[in-house]
């Protein structure tokens, strides 16, 4: 009986793992240093490439190759000698996590895990650790360096940022029998590990300090905040009941905590945002009634409940919480949310959810203070349950972003901006595209689209080192469709596109854009071929890297697009249904042996749309000329490649300005006109504790815009007084506030009645006491007015515009 039970148990485990691996994991961020692959069942098939003729024009606009071609025998021999196969034999892991350690070191850690449903059995998972020093061509098992410990899958490999060689692994320790957890730390790229017993159990991943490798921050399972100043050797608990935490600049730590010492989701909106600059020796409350907060680049921002039960508002600080300004954004209820889509030192992209469960909201862009906002895009498509959108920062070209909007008929369409949210437009379809509808545009599948359409294996790919290049899955029509998408490539930051590959693919950028690789993706195919392009996706060469097909799991290359190596990960299935992880790493250095020289580059003007105009290429008040690789040049940029660009300021035009607060642009116009509800010339708002008066012609320069002279509208901010109250002032509870108001009103009424009786009795006899107001002053001459006059006070004229959040809602 026992063997039968064991067989059934193992079978159930295999079924669980199979179903678990079919669930899509979130796609990694483009700069993420770790990747995780899982095994899944796929039916076998093969890919048969066709031949093509290749254009070798020296101009960048090389015609698109119609089909792909198989490598020549000479190319095949070179690639085969530099294709490295490795099998993780005897390893039964159902998932594998990769982490690149440092930049250009070639060191990769691989952690395999065999997961078991913890809720059914009283034990977690098994794991093995491997290390490569040659970009994944070979691996050595180093599980003994961590005493063959089981590693927590939820925490995985925690690698230090940038070029750091520091690594942390968290052991899978029982929370019920052990007082604290255990971590293994390495300072030499995982050559050696040090075992450290923690005085607590980890409740989240350890947060590395962005600049100091020794500083670590984390929370325990009981929501206490812990800090280490010696890379985990010693830990200090600095606070309890912590909700969220973030490093600030220098030694600053920000965290949100409840004043009553509790941790409850219903406690949001009552939190205190605290700051410590001495690792917990002292604290300073910088904001009260906080719902959530975040820190990014130049800005510290928080959503605040100014009055309990009322909608939340956003407050922003540019001086690490010393002073705050209320963001001029619509307030949101508890059912709504704010989401910071992107931010840098000059501006914030903010998504504000619309009321109701409708799946869209409005996108706003801020000025350099993060307080004044302009409406950028309506009907922005956003998953309000998972916090995901298709918003993509095109890092390969300044000012470019792509996202999707949700129309009233439920259709989804892609839009692009070239001026950091100033204007949005549809994406131009590739030349020669045909549609069955009147509207024919290119539509891009982003992170959110991947969750809606299972045939999309990857989000758009772009990198700062590969100037102008965007690789994305798309569809040409009037809206996104649930079909197998094709791969489209732009080499000019999204102005023009080509259909580069038929059907969905996994892709990666190598050698700063000089080389692009791709593997066909399909749920019912295995793989044995790799495609690569040396002309930014115009033409492709097919390389059959494996003699036999295997189950494909993912494509991996070192972050930063500097590498010449790419690894194809997957697994083989034996006759007894056992599986083995395998990887093929292809090194292109022997195929592309020529180092690029000056003759291989051509001058390219970014954002060029009209060569006959003096303002051609002027975006955000600046034009940039880049030295870019010719499409016909087959050479290596190299790891030391540095982007060569020359910039020039442009004269200011209205296109260099956003419409100021209270103004908007009409369709097909660059003029900013006043909102109908804005009746006063001056606008008042609270900025970092100061009441400011804004005099404006309706224009404010786009953050980051570098234009000079030309169109320069008038815009001045004046300090008026300290704000009467800010979110950083301590708020009382509702009952106390109500009591204070009632008592104040009663005392005021009593005093006024007493004063009136005295005046009537002793000064004006039996005449009624009436005040008459003018727009500027109180007229003392009218204190005593006969009963025969109208007992009505003239309404005081509003001397300034009251800037409420609703002013931004059209």
């Amino acid at each position: 009986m026992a063997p039968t039970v064991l067989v059934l148990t193992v079978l159930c485990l295999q079924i669980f793992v199979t179903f678990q691996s079919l669930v899509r994991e979130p796609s990694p961020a483009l700069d993420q240093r770790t990747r995780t692959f899982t095994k899944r069942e796929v039916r076998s098939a093969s890919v048969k490439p066709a031949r093509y003729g290749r254009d070798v024009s020296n101009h960048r606009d090389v015609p698109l190759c119609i089909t792909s071609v198989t490598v020549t025998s000479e190319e095949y021999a070179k690639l085969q000698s530099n294709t490295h196969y490795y099998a993780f034999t005897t390893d039964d892991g159902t998932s594998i996590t990769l982490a690149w350690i440092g930049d250009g070191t070639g060191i990769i850690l691989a952690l395999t895990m065999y997961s078991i449903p913890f809720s059914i059995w009283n034990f977690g998972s098994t794991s093995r650790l491997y290390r490569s020093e040659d970009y994944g061509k070979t691996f050595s098992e180093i599980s003994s360096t961590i005493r063959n410990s089981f590693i927590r899958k939820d925490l995985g490999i925690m690698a230090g940022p940038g070029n750091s060689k520091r690594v942390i692994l968290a052991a899978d320790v029982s929370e019920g029998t052990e007082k604290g957890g255990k971590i293994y730390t390495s300072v030499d790229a995982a050559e050696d590990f040090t075992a450290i017993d923690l005085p607590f159990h980890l409740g989240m991943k350890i947060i590395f300090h962005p600049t100091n490798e020794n500083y670590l921050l984390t929370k325990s399972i009981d929501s206490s905040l812990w800090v280490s100043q010696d890379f985990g050797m010693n830990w200090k608990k600095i606070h309890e009941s912590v909700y969220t935490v973030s490093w600030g600049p220098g030694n600053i730590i920000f965290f949100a905590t409840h004043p009553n010492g509790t941790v409850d989701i219903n406690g949001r909106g009552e939190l205190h945002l605290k700051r410590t600059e001495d690792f917990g020796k002292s604290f300073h409350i910088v904001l009260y009634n906080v719902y959530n907060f975040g820190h990014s680049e130049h800005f510290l921002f928080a959503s605040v409940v100014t009055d309990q039960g009322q909608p939340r508002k956003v407050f922003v600080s540019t001086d690490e919480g010393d002073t705050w300004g209320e963001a001029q954004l619509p307030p949101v209820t508890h059912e709504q949310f704010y989401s910071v889509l992107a931010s840098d030192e000059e501006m914030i992209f903010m998504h504000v959810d619309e009321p109701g469960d409708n799946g869209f909201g409005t996108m706003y862009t801020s000025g350099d203070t993060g307080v004044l906002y302009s409406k950028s895009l309506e009907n922005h498509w956003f998953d309000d349950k998972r916090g995901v959108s298709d918003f993509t920062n095109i890092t390969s070209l300044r000012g470019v972003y792509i996202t999707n909007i949700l129309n009233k008929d439920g259709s989804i369409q892609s839009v692009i901006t070239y001026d950091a949210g100033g204007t949005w437009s549809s994406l131009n379809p590739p030349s020669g595209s045909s549609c069955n509808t009147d509207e024919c545009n290119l539509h891009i599948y982003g992170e959110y689209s991947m969750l809606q359409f299972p045939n999309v294996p990857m989000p758009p790919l772009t990198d700062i080192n590969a100037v102008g290049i965007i690789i994305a899955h798309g569809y040409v029509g009037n809206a996104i469709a649930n079909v197998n998408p094709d791969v489209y490539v732009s080499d000019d930051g999204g102005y023009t596109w080509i259909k580069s590959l038929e059907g969905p693919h996994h892709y990666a950028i190598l050698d700063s854009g000089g080389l692009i690789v791709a593997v066909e993706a399909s749920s019912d195919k295995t793989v044995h071929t790799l495609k690569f392009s040396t002309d930014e996706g115009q033409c492709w060469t097919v390389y059959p890297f494996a003699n036999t097909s295997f189950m494909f799991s993912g494509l991996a290359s070192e972050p930063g697009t500097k590498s010449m190596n790419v690894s194809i990960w997957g697994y083989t299935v034996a006759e007894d249904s056992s599986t083995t992880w395998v990887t093929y790493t292809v090194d292109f250095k022997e195929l592309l042996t020529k180092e690029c020289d000056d003759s291989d580059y051509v001058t390219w003007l970014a954002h060029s749309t009209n060569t006959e105009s003096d303002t051609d290429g002027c975006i955000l008040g600046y034009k940039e000329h880049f030295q870019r690789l010719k499409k016909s040049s087959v050479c290596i940029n190299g790891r030391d490649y540095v982007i060569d660009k020359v910039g020039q300021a442009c004269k200011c035009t209205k296109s260099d300005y956003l419409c100021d607060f209270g103004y908007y642009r009409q369709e097909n116009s660059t003029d900013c006109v006043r909102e109908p509800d804005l009746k006063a010339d001056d606008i008042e708002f609270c900025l970092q504790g100061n009441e400011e008066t804004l005099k404006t012609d309706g224009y404010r320069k786009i953050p980051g815009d570098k234009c000079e002279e030309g169109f320069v509208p008038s815009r001045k901010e004046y300090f008026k007084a300290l704000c009467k109250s800010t979110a950083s002032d301590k708020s009382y509870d509702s009952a106390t506030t109500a009591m204070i108001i009632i008592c104040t009103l009663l005392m005021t009424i009593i005093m006024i009645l007493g004063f009136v009786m005295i005046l009537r009795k002793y000064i004006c006899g039996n005449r009624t006491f009436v005040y008459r107001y003018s727009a500027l002053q109180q007229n003392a001459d009218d204190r005593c007015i006969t009963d025969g006059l109208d007992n009505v006070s003239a309404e005081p004229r509003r001397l300034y515009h009251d800037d409420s959040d609703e002013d931004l809602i059209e």
Side-chain angles (χ1 to χ4, degrees), residues 80 82-89 136-139 545-546 548 550 568 572 580-586:
Q80 271 291 297
N82 288 277
T83 299
H84 305 269
Y85 169 79
Y86 186 84
F88 294 78
T89 55
K137 298 170 185 176
T138 60
F139 283 88
F545 64 88
T548 58
F550 64 99
I568 305 99
T572 59
T580 301
W581 282 108
V582 297
T583 178
Y584 289 84
T585 299
V586 182

Side-chain angles (χ1 to χ4, degrees), residues 59-132:
H59 196 273
R60 286 192 55 80
D61 297 328
V62 177
L64 175 64
C65 304
I66 298 175
T67 55
S68 301
V69 66
T70 305
V71 292
T72 65
S73 57
E74 181 181 359
E75 291 172 331
Y76 180 82
K78 288 182 178 180
L79 287 172
Q80 271 291 297
S81 63
N82 288 277
T83 299
H84 305 269
Y85 169 79
Y86 186 84
F88 294 78
T89 55
T90 72
D91 192 311
D92 57 358
T94 55
S95 68
I96 188 166
T97 298
L98 310 177
W100 281 262
I101 311 302
D103 290 331
T105 63
I107 297 174
I108 303 174
L109 294 185
L111 178 67
T112 63
M113 310 284 288
Y114 185 84
S115 301
I116 298 174
F118 189 80
S119 60
I120 302 176
W121 287 271
N122 194 27
F123 49 95
S125 60
T126 62
S127 59
R128 292 185 183 181
L129 184 64
Y130 301 84
R131 184 174 186 268
S132 172

Side-chain angles (χ1 to χ4, degrees), residues 19-31:
F19 279 105
Q20 183 187 43
S21 63
L22 289 175
V23 178
R24 181 189 301 277
E25 295 187 356
S27 298
L30 297 181
D31 58 349

